[in-house]
Each structure stands twice: as C-alpha cells, then as structure tokens.
Amino acid sequence: MYAAVEHGPVLCSDSNILCLSWKGRVPKSEKEKPVCRRRYYEEGWLATGNGRGVVGVTFTSSHCRRDRSTPQRINFNLRGHNSEVVLVRWNEPYQKLATCDADGGIFVWIQYEGRWSVELVNDRGAQVSDFTWSHDGTQALISYRDGFVLVGSVSGQRHWSSEINLESQITCGIWTPDDQQVLFGTADGQVIVMDCHGRMLAHVLLHESDGILSMSWNYPIFLVEDSSESDTDSDDYSPPQDGPAAHPIPVQNMKPLLTVSFSSGDISLMNSYDDLSPTVIRSGLKEVVAQWCTQGDLLAVAGMERQTQLGELPNGPLLKSAMVKFYNVRGEHIFTLDTLVQRPIISICWGHRDSRLLMASGPALYVVRVEHRVSSLQLLCQQAIASALREDKDASKLTLPPRLCSYLSTAFIPTIKPPIPDPSNMRDFVSYPSAGNERLHCTMKRTEDDPEVGGPCYTLYLEYLGGLVPILKGRRVSKLRPEFVIMDPRTDTKSDEIYGNSLVSTMIDSCNCSDSSDIELSDDWAAKKSPKISRASKSPKLPRISIEARKSPKLPRAAQEISRSPRLPMRKPSIGSPSLTRREFPFEDITQHNYLAQVTSNIWGTKFKIVGLAAFLPTNLGAVIYKTSLLHLQPRQMTIYLPEVRKISMDYINLPVFNPNVFSEDEDDLPGDAVRQD
C-alpha cells in the first residue's frame, strides 16, 4: 500500500478541531434504493466539532475532474452548543447528524430544503463519553462518564437506561455487529457487556494497569445495501493489478475483530470480548487514535512518537512528530506515514470508500490519500514530482506529454472543496467573482469601536470548517451618514508576511489549548490571522492615477475653494472626521491603509454608492437604492446596480472615469440593463 499527505495549503480553522465524522453524499432520488458506493462515495460531507462550540459541515470530493458541479452551498456552520463540541456522529441511513458538547448537551440535526435545523435535544447535565448509532441507524447508544447509559430510537424515544456503579469512568461504548449487545470500556481496563434490553451479561478485566481509550470492530459502521452497478463507472476507477493485493481477503465473510485501544499505546485484536489469546499490536506511540477502514482490511493508528525513540541533534533534542501506522487484520505492520505535524492527532476518520484518511491536529486538518493495493511506479513518480513542485501551475512548465501532465495535476486537486482564498492572492479573491456557482456564506461582526481611530469597525468573515476566515474589513467614516471605507483585514504598516506556513504556525501557537467556548473574536485575532498584501507586489503594475479623476461626484464647493486657496494650509483630515463623507481619500492614505472601496450615501440612508479606491478596481463598483412607501402600504423595494468587474490586464491600463450622472442622487431609477430587484 501507499499513503501520502495531500499537496496544497494546510487547511486551518480558527480553533482546535476536536472530532471528525464523514458520510457519503447520496442523491435525494436514490436515498430509498440500493446505491453504488463506488460512485456516490466520491462526494460526501465532513462534520467537524471545534473548541468554540460550532459544528462545521463541509463538502468533500475525491474525483479527479475539475469541471464537476458542486452544491451551491458547500459549507455550513451550525451554532447552538454552549461549550466545545467533543463528538460528531453521522447517521447515514437516516441522513442525520448527532453532536455532543462538553457540558453534556446532545443535538440531533437534520437537513431540510438546504437548511440544517435541530430535531432533538437531550441535556442530562453530565459529560458524555461516547455516542454510537446502531449499524442499521435505528438506535442510539449514549454513555456518560458517571456510569449512566441510555439506548433510544432515532426518533427520540427512550428504550431503556441503566446506572452502572463503577469506581472508574466509562470511556467508550459500542454496538456488536448484530446490534444485539452493547459493550462499554472503562478507565481501569474493564469491559462491561449488556444485551439490547439492558440486562447485564458479563464483566471482564482486560488490563489491570492500562485504561481503555476506545473500542471498534473491523466491520462497516452502517449496513447500506450496494447495487449491482459496476464500479468501472467511477471516475477514480483503475484496472486491477497483479500481485498479493490485487484480490484482498473478503473481510466481510470473516468473523469481525474487536479492537481495543489502551492508554499505553497497545492495541488488542480480539475475536470476542472474552478472547484469552488476543493479537497485541505494540504501536510504540502515545496518545493513540485508531480506526478501521470501511472494508475492514486496514487499521490506521495515529499517535505521537515516544521520547525514547527519538535521538538528539547537535543543537538539541529532536522534535517529536505525529505518525500514522497501518496494520492488517492479522496485526502485521504494513506501512508508516511520517508527518511534520508537531501536535497530537486528536481525531481521524476514513472517507471516500477508504481512499482518504482525514486527521485533525489542533486547528489544522490534514488529508491523506491512501492506496490499498501495491503502489504503481507511476503513482510514486507522481508523488515525487508533486512534492518537488510548489503549485499546480508549475506542472505545465515541465516537458511532459499532455496525458502525463494531466495525471500530475490530479495530485493538486483538493479534497476539501470550499473556495478558501489563496493566501498569496487575497485581493483577487475579494475583488473578482469566482469561476464556479458557489455561494459564499459569511458572518459580519463588530470588532472595534475606538473614537480615536475613527468609529466602529466591522469585519467580514468567510465560514469554513466550523470557523471564520477574515476577508474584508470596514470602518465607518461619518457620524451623520452610514458611510464606510472597505479595506483589507490587516491594516497595519508592518512589512508583509508570508501568508502560507507562517499563518498556520501563528494560528496554532496562538490557539489556546483550553479551547474557550467564547465565540466572539477580538480584532487582534483578525489582525494576526489575516493577510496583508501590498498593492505594489500583488496587483498589476499600473501607472499612478490622478486623484482628480477619482473625486466624489458631489464634492462641496466650499471644500474645493479651501483646497485652491493659497493662504490656507493643506491639512490631511483624520479618517474618523465627518468632513470625509464626500471627499476623496489622499493617495497616500489609500496605499498605507490598503483601502479597496468607499461606500457613500445620502443623508436619509436610502441611496448608496460604491466607489473603487484601489488602482486595480474600476471606479464604478455599484449602487443601491432603497425605497419605502410613506405609510408602508406597499412592499419595500431595493434596486441594486452591480457592473461586471473583470481583471485588468497589463495591456489595458485606462481605468473607467467616474460618471456622476450614473449615481445621481436626483435620479430614482438606474439603467434598465443593469438593474436587479430583490
């Protein structure tokens, strides 16, 4: 087999990702029919729970076609928990999502007509140790740390509950493959067995000194009926290869193995809970997280290297790093994936028919591509060349046949699909429309209110992986009118930083390990985590534009006469001064503060104009006209004027001149070909 971390920028959230869960995406028309997993599991949804109490539902894809259509909304941030989310569990047969927080609150979410809503709520006031759906999805097993266990239906009805008196805590709970028994693991190495009606069956001590961290079976999590449709219809299909891995052992026909992970890093493979001679895997790792793939033939064990395995460099001890080890059903070590992750791996999950392994470490999310068969020489060459290249566009510079060049570019196609801005090209992302039909769902927060700086400040965040990514910042510049100036999120005058690895390291270092559940974000966070891209380095090199061509259309005459008077000294007004409501910002301020656009309005707040301030943006960015009837007898009307904004090439230097007649305050209507009413 072969495994490698996916190439591209590191995916990062604004807080620690604590849990993961993945499910395949099945079309609505075929939810009640047998499905072809190979085809429909190329796309799916990844659920993440983070330290801010937000659940992220993100679209993922494993096919290699860039022209595939994606859902209009490919990321959801579900809010409702009051503390950090510690468990997320998909119910694939019923298309539901269960989430648990640190305070014991349990939410069951359901999607209806493109919107997620809470269907069931359960809050017992005690910490939840584990939540597991039955293999048919009809029942849920909930175990609490204080010894209370509960089994209920998918619709919320309680079947039975029991109080287990123990000296230690319950750490995990699972169903048997036939859903007739439930097993509970404790912190002192015991396994408690009960039947599906709540009767106690057995009490077994597996280890005297090590506690049980988790238990699982090498058995599919859900029993979804497969159709007889050929797997060759899949995009990622490749012909079978000769060799020992060409025809793997049909694990489904074998007796399932019970896998028990201990706090020491050892893993036991048992035929049943009372197996006297289990197969023990000495992983040599600590803080172990283990999970079987869906087919049940490959066990992924992630953890940190132990200090005894590490040597010392001349300059000091070698830093510990996380690694992933893969084992077969006989407990034999097959492959080891070394990573550069310096933090413990909190959670892992398989996805896309076991071709992807997703790992969460702190606020970062890593995607591992897994090849179960013997890796071909073509695959090894692809990964070696992709590791040497920095970006996908560098592949076209190589002297390769078109077919091989296309195959090489597939190594850079990301699995996580949200349109996160390119760190080195943030301004293009916020200034020009995207190529696809995705909808960007954002959140705006008031992050600053300092009269000395110039009034309230608002930051626009893009929702992503349950977190928020700052993309734009606006500050009010008038006390009388709702007028704003729009700028980059980072507006200090320090030298530009490399927004790639430095941003990730900054987010990881600044992320508090306690994961406070406070959702409010400070402005310092937005300043540290947001890129500052200088206009000279990231925008096309255009000649300096005269400020006279960018003056507001209705500049007061008194202000113009003052500016022409030789007796009065020229003084640069402050940003927060109301006198800037109709004036143009000096060119030095535009460059220094990274201003992108200015929003002006009339005194009534019913007409707004958006004027481009940056050199690479056109002057006319749009207008909004808001109408209401006198007695509110008619519905309110909003007219939006949005001209098409295109990237300015190097040959086209002349920017459009601002036309005051287009946005005249005396006009009630705009040109008909550019008007859209909502």
Side-chain angles (χ1 to χ4, degrees):
M1 65 157 295
Y2 182 79
V5 179
E6 193 170 78
H7 301 280
V10 178
L11 308 175
C12 220
S13 182
D14 60 352
S15 61
N16 285 350
I17 301 175
L18 304 179
C19 47
L20 301 173
S21 183
W22 186 90
K23 80 171 184 70
R25 181 194 180 203
V26 180
K28 295 182 179 179
S29 59
E30 302 189 19
K31 284 184 178 180
E32 305 297 333
K33 305 176 183 178
V35 299
C36 178
R37 292 194 179 198
R38 184 75 180 221
R39 164 175 291 185
Y40 295 129
Y41 278 28
E42 292 179 356
E43 298 179 350
W45 296 92
L46 175 66
T48 61
N50 61 25
R52 296 187 182 273
V54 182
V55 179
V57 180
T58 307
F59 177 74
T60 64
S61 175
S62 64
H63 53 67
C64 300
R65 295 183 182 178
R66 294 180 182 270
D67 56 348
R68 275 288 192 94
S69 60
T70 59
Q72 279 192 337
R73 184 167 183 178
I74 51 184
N75 187 87
F76 296 86
N77 281 9
L78 310 182
R79 298 177 176 87
H81 289 282
N82 296 324
S83 59
E84 57 187 17
V85 179
V86 295
L87 288 173
V88 288
R89 297 288 188 269
W90 281 111
N91 186 334
E92 191 169 346
Y94 288 86
Q95 299 293 302
K96 295 183 180 182
L97 176 63
T99 60
C100 309
D101 57 34
D103 295 337
I106 302 176
F107 290 179
V108 177
W109 306 79
I110 189 171
Q111 188 179 22
Y112 180 73
E113 294 184 352
R115 295 178 179 270
W116 285 93
S117 60
V118 178
E119 184 185 38
L120 299 173
V121 178
N122 183 14
D123 190 357
R124 182 174 166 268
Q127 291 186 354
V128 179
S129 60
D130 204 353
F131 185 104
T132 309
W133 295 103
S134 60
H135 292 83
D136 58 1
T138 59
Q139 301 181 86
L141 171 63
I142 308 173
S143 55
Y144 293 86
R145 293 190 179 273
D146 59 359
F148 183 81
V149 295
L150 182 147
V151 173
S153 66
V154 68
S155 59
Q157 299 176 355
R158 176 179 296 192
H159 289 174
W160 60 268
S161 61
S162 178
E163 186 81 27
I164 303 177
N165 297 323
L166 296 172
E167 296 180 358
S168 61
Q169 296 178 344
I170 294 179
T171 57
C172 57
I174 60 171
W175 294 85
T176 54
D178 57 0
D179 293 336
Q180 296 301 313
Q181 296 178 355
V182 290
L183 307 179
F184 301 99
T186 64
D188 57 357
Q190 302 182 54
V191 173
I192 301 171
V193 185
M194 304 178 70
D195 64 2
C196 59
H197 302 290
R199 291 187 294 265
M200 184 73 67
L201 297 180
H203 201 129
V204 182
L205 177 63
L206 297 184
H207 208 293
E208 296 181 356
S209 58
D210 291 339
I212 297 177
L213 296 179
S214 63
M215 296 188 299
S216 61
W217 300 88
N218 64 332
Y219 194 78
I221 300 177
F222 295 106
L223 299 178
V224 180
E225 185 179 0
D226 276 328
S227 69
S228 58
E229 189 175 357
S230 174
D231 286 348
T232 58
D233 295 333
S234 171
D235 286 344
D236 57 358
Y237 170 78
S238 57
Q241 300 175 348
D242 296 332
H247 304 283
I249 301 175
V251 180
Q252 311 298 348
N253 299 329
M254 298 177 58
K255 187 175 181 179
L257 292 175
L258 174 62
T259 306
V260 183
S261 301
F262 296 95
S263 57
S264 61
D266 296 342
I267 299 173
S268 295
L269 305 181
M270 312 172 64
N271 293 321
S272 62
Y273 60 85
D274 55 356
D275 190 359
L276 299 179
S277 58
T279 302
V280 180
I281 298 176
R282 309 289 183 182
S283 65
L285 304 175
K286 64 178 183 178
E287 302 177 6
V288 169
V289 182
Q291 189 177 41
W292 285 99
C293 66
T294 305
Q295 301 298 325
D297 61 340
L298 201 60
L299 175 65
V301 181
M304 298 292 293
E305 294 180 272
R306 291 191 175 276
Q307 195 68 31
T308 56
Q309 299 178 354
L310 303 176
E312 291 190 0
L313 297 176
N315 297 333
L318 184 64
L319 294 177
K320 295 183 296 183
S321 61
M323 61 172 51
V324 184
K325 295 184 178 182
F326 297 90
Y327 299 88
N328 59 12
V329 293
R330 294 178 293 272
E332 300 171 351
H333 178 253
I334 299 177
F335 188 82
T336 299
L337 174 63
D338 295 322
T339 66
L340 300 178
V341 182
Q342 303 297 329
R343 278 192 167 199
I345 297 177
I346 304 300
S347 177
I348 62 174
C349 72
W350 291 87
H352 297 287
R353 197 177 169 87
D354 303 334
S355 64
R356 299 291 189 274
L357 179 66
L358 302 114
M359 307 185 305
S361 176
L365 178 67
Y366 300 90
V367 181
V368 178
R369 298 192 179 189
V370 181
E371 177 68 28
H372 291 249
R373 299 171 299 188
V374 177
S375 57
S376 63
L377 182 60
Q378 189 178 21
L379 176 62
L380 297 177
C381 293
Q382 179 204 47
Q383 294 297 323
I385 297 175
S387 300
L389 300 177
R390 294 184 177 180
E391 299 179 356
D392 184 14
K393 60 182 180 181
D394 295 336
S396 59
K397 301 177 182 179
L398 302 177
T399 56
L400 294 176
R403 185 174 181 180
L404 291 180
C405 187
S406 176
Y407 176 72
L408 178 61
S409 63
T410 59
F412 295 93
I413 299 178
T415 300
I416 308 295
K417 294 300 182 183
I420 292 304
D422 184 3
S424 61
N425 209 8
M426 173 67 77
R427 281 201 166 187
D428 284 354
F429 177 82
V430 299
S431 302
Y432 307 111
S434 59
N437 60 344
E438 300 89 359
R439 293 183 178 180
L440 304 182
H441 289 259
C442 303
T443 299
M444 182 177 292
K445 291 189 177 183
R446 183 168 178 166
T447 55
E448 179 184 316
D449 192 1
D450 189 358
E452 297 181 357
V453 178
C457 181
Y458 303 87
T459 303
L460 185 68
Y461 298 94
L462 178 66
E463 297 182 356
Y464 175 62
L465 286 178
L468 302 175
V469 179
I471 57 176
L472 281 178
K473 195 172 185 178
R475 187 183 300 279
R476 186 167 182 173
V477 295
S478 174
K479 296 182 179 179
L480 301 178
R481 306 182 184 187
E483 299 187 345
F484 302 84
V485 59
I486 302 174
M487 65 196 83
D488 285 343
R490 181 165 184 170
T491 57
D492 55 14
T493 57
K494 298 179 182 179
S495 59
D496 296 345
E497 296 180 0
I498 301 176
Y499 183 64
N501 298 329
S502 63
L503 172 66
V504 176
S505 61
T506 303
M507 294 181 69
I508 293 177
D509 294 339
S510 62
C511 185
N512 189 2
C513 297
S514 62
D515 290 333
S516 173
S517 59
D518 186 10
I519 301 180
E520 295 297 329
L521 301 177
S522 62
D523 191 55
D524 296 337
W525 181 91
K528 292 180 180 178
K529 312 277 184 305
S530 307
K532 177 197 171 187
I533 303 174
S534 62
R535 192 183 69 177
S537 59
K538 301 302 177 184
S539 59
K541 295 182 178 179
L542 302 176
R544 175 168 294 214
I545 303 173
S546 176
I547 299 301
E548 297 297 332
R550 287 188 172 273
K551 286 187 177 181
S552 301
K554 290 195 173 183
L555 191 64
R557 294 183 179 179
Q560 296 180 4
E561 293 177 358
I562 292 176
S563 61
R564 299 193 199 101
S565 176
R567 298 182 180 180
L568 297 177
M570 292 296 295
R571 185 177 60 180
K572 185 185 301 183
S574 60
I575 300 177
S577 175
S579 61
L580 281 181
T581 55
R582 288 302 189 193
R583 293 186 184 178
E584 179 61 33
F585 294 98
F587 190 82
E588 292 77 9
D589 284 355
I590 297 176
T591 306
Q592 180 180 4
H593 296 282
N594 291 329
Y595 292 158
L596 298 178
Q598 180 185 6
V599 180
T600 62
S601 88
N602 58 359
I603 193 65
W604 309 107
T606 58
K607 297 182 180 181
F608 300 88
K609 310 170 188 178
I610 307 174
V611 182
L613 299 180
F616 57 89
L617 289 177
T619 306
N620 302 343
L621 288 179
V624 178
I625 297 178
Y626 182 77
K627 292 183 179 180
T628 58
S629 60
L630 181 60
L631 300 178
H632 298 281
L633 300 178
Q634 296 180 357
R636 293 167 291 184
Q637 297 181 0
M638 180 181 294
T639 305
I640 303 176
Y641 173 83
L642 292 176
E644 184 178 1
V645 179
R646 295 182 179 180
K647 219 170 188 179
I648 303 175
S649 61
M650 298 302 296
D651 299 332
Y652 183 76
I653 300 179
N654 297 326
L655 294 175
V657 181
F658 189 86
N659 184 7
N661 296 326
V662 177
F663 303 111
S664 175
E665 291 187 0
D666 300 332
E667 288 184 325
D668 292 336
D669 298 326
L670 296 174
D673 56 346
V675 173
R676 184 181 66 185
Q677 293 187 359
D678 295 339

